[in-house]
Amino acid sequence: MALEGGWKTRARCHVLGDDVPHDGGVMRFDFITGRVTDPALLIPELFNEIDPGLKTRIRPGDFIVAGKNFFCGKAHNNGMIAMKALGLRVLCESMPFRSFRAAIGVALPCLIQCKGIREFVQDGDELEVDFESGEVIDLTRGETRRYPAVARDIKTIVEEGGMQGLLAKWLADHPELATPA
């Protein structure tokens, strides 16, 4: 299963700050406690808590650029589901491990360890990002930086559609184990 848009894409970026929480930041808390997972319901609420106008500027395939500790707090995935449904991609300085694991689990492409990314790009800049090499080109300003690339194993999980896709593939490859004894 190929990643929609591929591992090298061009799009606009939307720059957020440090310490952006998932709960009450990326997604409204009542959607998390209500266990809402339908992308059609989640997308209209995406980022409303931190920037109500952001949803009008975001286009499918855009990049969300964040500083340190993006998706901090509990590792819920409601906002990640909405971001994946929009084809968004994440570039950030850091992300807690559990949040990174949840993002990869829903097949949300993330390039982490992008030190200084918020100073390198500006909100609305057009970027070309190659997740396989870690190269980020700010096409608006004509500058390039290189960050750590996505690990091969992480790339495989995302390409398979996250953990559900990986499990479905494994069960298809091992039909004798698909039904419990």
Side-chain angles (χ1 to χ4, degrees):
M1 176 178 183
L3 179 67
E4 185 177 325
W7 287 98
K8 184 175 184 178
T9 61
R10 287 184 180 196
R12 286 188 319 158
C13 73
H14 306 279
V15 181
L16 307 175
D18 290 331
D19 302 312
V20 174
H22 179 274
D23 301 4
V26 174
M27 184 54 58
R28 278 182 23 202
F29 192 68
D30 60 318
F31 275 62
I32 291 145
T33 57
R35 299 182 181 190
V36 178
T37 57
D38 181 353
L41 298 173
L42 295 169
I43 289 170
E45 300 302 323
L46 193 59
F47 300 113
N48 274 349
E49 300 293 304
I50 56 175
D51 183 353
L54 183 56
K55 68 181 170 193
T56 63
R57 297 187 307 271
I58 289 178
R59 293 185 217 137
D62 279 354
F63 298 104
I64 299 299
V65 175
K68 298 173 184 157
N69 211 19
F70 184 59
F71 285 140
C72 62
K74 298 274 186 181
H76 295 117
N77 60 6
N78 311 67
M80 298 173 193
I81 291 168
M83 292 173 68
K84 172 61 182 169
L86 284 172
L88 301 180
R89 299 158 194 286
V90 175
L91 309 172
C92 65
E93 288 197 32
S94 66
M95 182 183 297
F97 171 76
R98 288 183 179 186
S99 295
F100 180 66
R101 182 177 64 188
I104 298 311
V106 300
L108 179 65
C110 298
L111 195 62
I112 59 173
Q113 299 178 353
C114 299
K115 186 174 178 167
I117 188 76
R118 287 187 315 131
E119 291 77 28
F120 172 57
V121 302
Q122 295 179 0
D123 197 60
D125 282 359
E126 184 81 15
L127 305 181
E128 180 175 287
V129 178
D130 186 339
F131 284 77
E132 290 181 291
S133 71
E135 183 177 74
V136 177
I137 303 169
D138 186 327
L139 299 168
T140 304
R141 299 178 358 169
E143 296 180 25
T144 302
R145 288 214 182 151
R146 190 172 297 273
Y147 300 105
V150 171
R152 188 179 75 235
D153 292 340
I154 300 298
K155 182 177 173 251
T156 299
I157 294 169
V158 172
E159 285 176 337
E160 290 299 331
M163 294 309 294
Q164 285 184 336
L166 199 61
L167 178 59
K169 181 183 182 310
W170 189 85
L171 289 172
D173 292 345
H174 300 87
E176 72 281 3
L177 301 174
T179 306

